Amino acid sequence: MTNPLGAAEPLAHDVQDPTPVAKPLKAPAGRLIAVRGAVVDVEFDGATLPLIDESLSIIADQGPPIIAEVQAHLDTTTVRALALQATNGLRRGAPVEASGAPIQVPVGEAMLGRLIDVTGTPGDRGEPLPADVPLRPIHRAAPPLASQGAATEIFATGIKVIDLLTPLAQGGKAAMFGGAGVGKTVLVMELIHAMVERYQGISVFAGVGERSREGHEMLLDMRNSGVLPRTVLVYGQMNEPPGARWRVPLTALTIAEYFRDERHQNVLLLMDNIFRFVQAGAEVSGLLGRLPSRVGYQPTLASEVAALQERIVSVGNVSVTAIEAVYVPADDFTDPAVTTIAAHVDSMVVLSRSMAAEGMYPAIDPIASSSILLDPLVVGAEHAAVATEVRRTIEHYRELQDVISLLGVEELGADDRRIVGRARRLQRFLTQPFAVTEAFTGVPGRSVPVADTLAGCKAILAGECDTWQESSLYMVGTLEEARERENASHAATPANDGGAPQRATA
């Protein structure tokens, strides 16, 4: 097994040159003087203390060394560090070695197809990593602004509502916001499946605070689908100490940066769930004795999120594209963690609990979701116009829902009834079956090109489907598939009432 601590640069921050340099001749040695859960205090005899974010190796009586990271200098001889592994069994006086560098993780081709933890230790029961695997520090500065490229190329997903209303950018950052149980993880897994066909590059998946069951299912799904040889899985699971969950995104990002900067390959970085990163940071802040800020979050919330997000950029002709799932606590979109993360992303995909309750999957809110790429200069005038008209139609329907609930759709004017009918058909057309849910629903997944999505929405807005049954448009791919379903339903019921409009409910 490769030791995650290795030779590296002597500074914890501002690391620009990825080539490791020689380790100091004599690293500072210390001893453990206090253990409080995941927080440990270490006393050093020498005049030089380890730097902030430098890694320490605590020699346990049994088992491998425990990796910790310096978080504060208490006085001229003592530091406070955060252990990234369980501290059970540690004793006072245990020897501690400073590495002279931040935590180092293995990177490179040898990591493809592997599942590792925050320190780079394999967790898939596979072969040990090669002895010559390159190591890189998890703390690095973001690339200079002058070297960063603009994210203007559309990242097609085959998911109608995303490609139409919240297009993703290659080299950009997209976030899926939603409360518990509205489909964030399913949506991320479907995006992974969709990228297998379109995307020729490296994928890095960061499981931040994941359940063990989810991690096991992800590993099996990737093995069965054949994408694992081009993927690196990095996990800091829910049962691990907060330090592990806090640093897992940095480990995954370090691996992605290696492929971007040194292999010049495009990288797809997926994170589920980035809220757990913020949550782990709040736990760490409390353990270190810092006063909480708004809603109990850490006072360093904005800087921690920025340090992670600002490293996800395109450099030259290669890019790191990030797709992040973000849990929204109690469906409160004004939560400080949610608003802080939202400030850094290009595309916001907002999942709605009310749409999920109606069975509109994917339960993406077409009004609350947004993307900076939905601009005529980027997606074209036709795409922007269709997306705007779809939003306007659905928004008008929502304004009338209270009236419909009280009085019924028959009390509306002719124009309003027509808009309501088209809005309901648009909502159903923007649903589609997923490949990752086929085992549960028995319905094969659909992947729809952007042109077919635009053509279907234009036809519904133009009134071509006004006499169709709404069910014909539900959970289909293209409009042609919906037309076949509609014709089949008419053929099965020849005594049809002529396509009388269905009663709409709120």
mmCIF file of all heavy atoms in Angstrom, residues 1 8 48 66 118 156 190 193 212 251 319 344 354 365 369 372 374 377 410 419 439 449 500:
data_model
loop_
_atom_site.group_PDB
_atom_site.id
_atom_site.type_symbol
_atom_site.label_atom_id
_atom_site.label_comp_id
_atom_site.label_asym_id
_atom_site.label_seq_id
_atom_site.Cartn_x
_atom_site.Cartn_y
_atom_site.Cartn_z
ATOM 1 N N MET A 1 0.854 -1.190 0.000
ATOM 2 C CA MET A 1 0.000 0.000 0.000
ATOM 3 C C MET A 1 0.893 1.245 0.000
ATOM 4 O O MET A 1 1.842 1.337 0.766
ATOM 5 C CB MET A 1 -0.916 0.010 1.218
ATOM 6 C CG MET A 1 -1.912 1.161 1.227
ATOM 7 S SD MET A 1 -2.976 1.070 2.683
ATOM 8 C CE MET A 1 -3.761 -0.487 2.382
ATOM 9 N N ALA A 8 7.368 16.385 -0.764
ATOM 10 C CA ALA A 8 6.540 17.407 -1.384
ATOM 11 C C ALA A 8 7.128 18.769 -1.133
ATOM 12 O O ALA A 8 8.158 18.932 -0.495
ATOM 13 C CB ALA A 8 5.123 17.337 -0.818
ATOM 14 N N THR A 48 10.835 25.035 15.362
ATOM 15 C CA THR A 48 9.980 25.201 14.186
ATOM 16 C C THR A 48 8.732 24.348 14.318
ATOM 17 O O THR A 48 8.814 23.135 14.521
ATOM 18 C CB THR A 48 10.738 24.805 12.909
ATOM 19 O OG1 THR A 48 11.929 25.576 12.820
ATOM 20 C CG2 THR A 48 9.877 25.043 11.685
ATOM 21 N N ILE A 66 -1.983 7.224 11.947
ATOM 22 C CA ILE A 66 -3.192 8.020 11.747
ATOM 23 C C ILE A 66 -2.774 9.374 11.192
ATOM 24 O O ILE A 66 -1.886 10.043 11.744
ATOM 25 C CB ILE A 66 -3.957 8.174 13.072
ATOM 26 C CG1 ILE A 66 -4.486 6.803 13.514
ATOM 27 C CG2 ILE A 66 -5.112 9.166 12.928
ATOM 28 C CD1 ILE A 66 -5.095 6.803 14.891
ATOM 29 N N VAL A 118 -9.892 9.425 1.455
ATOM 30 C CA VAL A 118 -9.387 10.800 1.426
ATOM 31 C C VAL A 118 -7.868 10.858 1.341
ATOM 32 O O VAL A 118 -7.304 11.798 0.771
ATOM 33 C CB VAL A 118 -9.911 11.573 2.661
ATOM 34 C CG1 VAL A 118 -9.355 10.965 3.949
ATOM 35 C CG2 VAL A 118 -9.567 13.052 2.583
ATOM 36 N N ALA A 156 -24.179 18.765 -23.872
ATOM 37 C CA ALA A 156 -25.474 18.128 -24.091
ATOM 38 C C ALA A 156 -25.615 16.898 -23.204
ATOM 39 O O ALA A 156 -24.692 16.091 -23.090
ATOM 40 C CB ALA A 156 -25.633 17.748 -25.549
ATOM 41 N N GLU A 190 -27.980 9.491 -13.646
ATOM 42 C CA GLU A 190 -28.412 9.510 -15.043
ATOM 43 C C GLU A 190 -27.464 10.354 -15.895
ATOM 44 O O GLU A 190 -27.175 10.003 -17.047
ATOM 45 C CB GLU A 190 -29.840 10.066 -15.139
ATOM 46 C CG GLU A 190 -30.393 10.135 -16.552
ATOM 47 C CD GLU A 190 -30.608 8.770 -17.182
ATOM 48 O OE1 GLU A 190 -30.626 7.762 -16.446
ATOM 49 O OE2 GLU A 190 -30.765 8.694 -18.420
ATOM 50 N N HIS A 193 -24.559 8.230 -16.667
ATOM 51 C CA HIS A 193 -24.911 7.273 -17.718
ATOM 52 C C HIS A 193 -24.961 7.951 -19.083
ATOM 53 O O HIS A 193 -24.511 7.396 -20.098
ATOM 54 C CB HIS A 193 -26.260 6.633 -17.387
ATOM 55 C CG HIS A 193 -26.652 5.515 -18.299
ATOM 56 N ND1 HIS A 193 -27.304 5.722 -19.486
ATOM 57 C CD2 HIS A 193 -26.460 4.179 -18.209
ATOM 58 C CE1 HIS A 193 -27.509 4.560 -20.088
ATOM 59 N NE2 HIS A 193 -27.010 3.606 -19.327
ATOM 60 N N SER A 212 -23.037 4.101 2.840
ATOM 61 C CA SER A 212 -22.263 2.966 2.340
ATOM 62 C C SER A 212 -23.016 2.222 1.242
ATOM 63 O O SER A 212 -22.413 1.767 0.263
ATOM 64 C CB SER A 212 -21.927 2.015 3.490
ATOM 65 O OG SER A 212 -21.152 2.666 4.467
ATOM 66 N N THR A 251 -9.387 15.982 -2.441
ATOM 67 C CA THR A 251 -8.683 14.824 -3.001
ATOM 68 C C THR A 251 -9.152 14.555 -4.423
ATOM 69 O O THR A 251 -8.329 14.352 -5.332
ATOM 70 C CB THR A 251 -8.928 13.588 -2.112
ATOM 71 O OG1 THR A 251 -8.419 13.830 -0.803
ATOM 72 C CG2 THR A 251 -8.251 12.363 -2.691
ATOM 73 N N SER A 319 -10.529 21.115 -19.865
ATOM 74 C CA SER A 319 -11.482 21.641 -18.892
ATOM 75 C C SER A 319 -11.773 20.617 -17.802
ATOM 76 O O SER A 319 -11.610 19.410 -17.985
ATOM 77 C CB SER A 319 -12.797 22.011 -19.595
ATOM 78 O OG SER A 319 -13.393 20.858 -20.165
ATOM 79 N N HIS A 344 -21.457 30.371 -6.966
ATOM 80 C CA HIS A 344 -20.287 29.929 -7.738
ATOM 81 C C HIS A 344 -20.635 29.131 -8.982
ATOM 82 O O HIS A 344 -19.735 28.820 -9.757
ATOM 83 C CB HIS A 344 -19.386 29.065 -6.841
ATOM 84 C CG HIS A 344 -18.696 29.828 -5.749
ATOM 85 N ND1 HIS A 344 -17.512 30.491 -5.938
ATOM 86 C CD2 HIS A 344 -19.045 30.047 -4.463
ATOM 87 C CE1 HIS A 344 -17.149 31.079 -4.814
ATOM 88 N NE2 HIS A 344 -18.069 30.829 -3.900
ATOM 89 N N SER A 354 -43.081 19.613 -4.989
ATOM 90 C CA SER A 354 -44.462 19.531 -5.471
ATOM 91 C C SER A 354 -44.526 18.822 -6.819
ATOM 92 O O SER A 354 -45.465 18.048 -7.082
ATOM 93 C CB SER A 354 -45.062 20.940 -5.580
ATOM 94 O OG SER A 354 -44.321 21.725 -6.504
ATOM 95 N N ASP A 365 -37.795 22.202 -11.548
ATOM 96 C CA ASP A 365 -38.675 23.362 -11.614
ATOM 97 C C ASP A 365 -38.249 24.235 -12.791
ATOM 98 O O ASP A 365 -37.153 24.813 -12.781
ATOM 99 C CB ASP A 365 -38.572 24.150 -10.304
ATOM 100 C CG ASP A 365 -39.628 25.237 -10.205
ATOM 101 O OD1 ASP A 365 -40.000 25.801 -11.249
ATOM 102 O OD2 ASP A 365 -40.074 25.543 -9.079
ATOM 103 N N SER A 369 -35.181 27.163 -12.007
ATOM 104 C CA SER A 369 -33.893 26.773 -12.576
ATOM 105 C C SER A 369 -33.403 27.834 -13.559
ATOM 106 O O SER A 369 -34.205 28.510 -14.205
ATOM 107 C CB SER A 369 -34.020 25.422 -13.283
ATOM 108 O OG SER A 369 -34.477 24.418 -12.392
ATOM 109 N N ILE A 372 -26.562 30.634 -17.024
ATOM 110 C CA ILE A 372 -26.002 31.806 -17.700
ATOM 111 C C ILE A 372 -25.808 31.538 -19.198
ATOM 112 O O ILE A 372 -25.595 32.473 -19.971
ATOM 113 C CB ILE A 372 -24.659 32.227 -17.075
ATOM 114 C CG1 ILE A 372 -23.614 31.107 -17.238
ATOM 115 C CG2 ILE A 372 -24.820 32.592 -15.614
ATOM 116 C CD1 ILE A 372 -22.218 31.540 -16.834
ATOM 117 N N LEU A 374 -28.108 30.282 -21.187
ATOM 118 C CA LEU A 374 -29.360 30.445 -21.933
ATOM 119 C C LEU A 374 -29.408 31.856 -22.509
ATOM 120 O O LEU A 374 -30.155 32.727 -22.073
ATOM 121 C CB LEU A 374 -30.560 30.173 -21.020
ATOM 122 C CG LEU A 374 -31.895 29.977 -21.747
ATOM 123 C CD1 LEU A 374 -31.816 28.801 -22.703
ATOM 124 C CD2 LEU A 374 -33.015 29.765 -20.754
ATOM 125 N N LEU A 377 -26.678 34.451 -27.863
ATOM 126 C CA LEU A 377 -25.326 34.424 -28.413
ATOM 127 C C LEU A 377 -24.650 33.078 -28.200
ATOM 128 O O LEU A 377 -23.660 32.765 -28.874
ATOM 129 C CB LEU A 377 -24.484 35.535 -27.783
ATOM 130 C CG LEU A 377 -24.960 36.969 -28.022
ATOM 131 C CD1 LEU A 377 -24.085 37.950 -27.257
ATOM 132 C CD2 LEU A 377 -24.952 37.282 -29.516
ATOM 133 N N GLU A 410 -63.228 25.501 -16.207
ATOM 134 C CA GLU A 410 -64.293 25.973 -17.083
ATOM 135 C C GLU A 410 -64.608 27.445 -16.887
ATOM 136 O O GLU A 410 -65.194 28.083 -17.778
ATOM 137 C CB GLU A 410 -65.567 25.145 -16.851
ATOM 138 C CG GLU A 410 -65.454 23.678 -17.236
ATOM 139 C CD GLU A 410 -64.815 22.838 -16.137
ATOM 140 O OE1 GLU A 410 -64.489 23.427 -15.079
ATOM 141 O OE2 GLU A 410 -64.629 21.628 -16.330
ATOM 142 N N ILE A 419 -53.986 28.324 -22.820
ATOM 143 C CA ILE A 419 -52.639 28.394 -22.226
ATOM 144 C C ILE A 419 -52.474 27.303 -21.165
ATOM 145 O O ILE A 419 -51.423 26.664 -21.080
ATOM 146 C CB ILE A 419 -52.401 29.796 -21.635
ATOM 147 C CG1 ILE A 419 -52.264 30.822 -22.759
ATOM 148 C CG2 ILE A 419 -51.151 29.801 -20.745
ATOM 149 C CD1 ILE A 419 -52.171 32.255 -22.288
ATOM 150 N N ALA A 439 -34.685 -0.583 -14.140
ATOM 151 C CA ALA A 439 -34.850 -1.798 -13.341
ATOM 152 C C ALA A 439 -36.065 -1.709 -12.424
ATOM 153 O O ALA A 439 -36.630 -2.740 -12.049
ATOM 154 C CB ALA A 439 -33.587 -2.045 -12.513
ATOM 155 N N PRO A 449 -32.047 14.330 -28.358
ATOM 156 C CA PRO A 449 -31.222 15.438 -28.860
ATOM 157 C C PRO A 449 -31.918 16.785 -28.643
ATOM 158 O O PRO A 449 -33.148 16.861 -28.579
ATOM 159 C CB PRO A 449 -31.063 15.130 -30.350
ATOM 160 C CG PRO A 449 -31.369 13.663 -30.484
ATOM 161 C CD PRO A 449 -32.371 13.360 -29.415
ATOM 162 N N ALA A 500 -62.354 15.684 -26.558
ATOM 163 C CA ALA A 500 -62.801 16.770 -25.692
ATOM 164 C C ALA A 500 -61.720 17.080 -24.677
ATOM 165 O O ALA A 500 -61.064 16.185 -24.174
ATOM 166 C CB ALA A 500 -64.081 16.373 -24.991
#
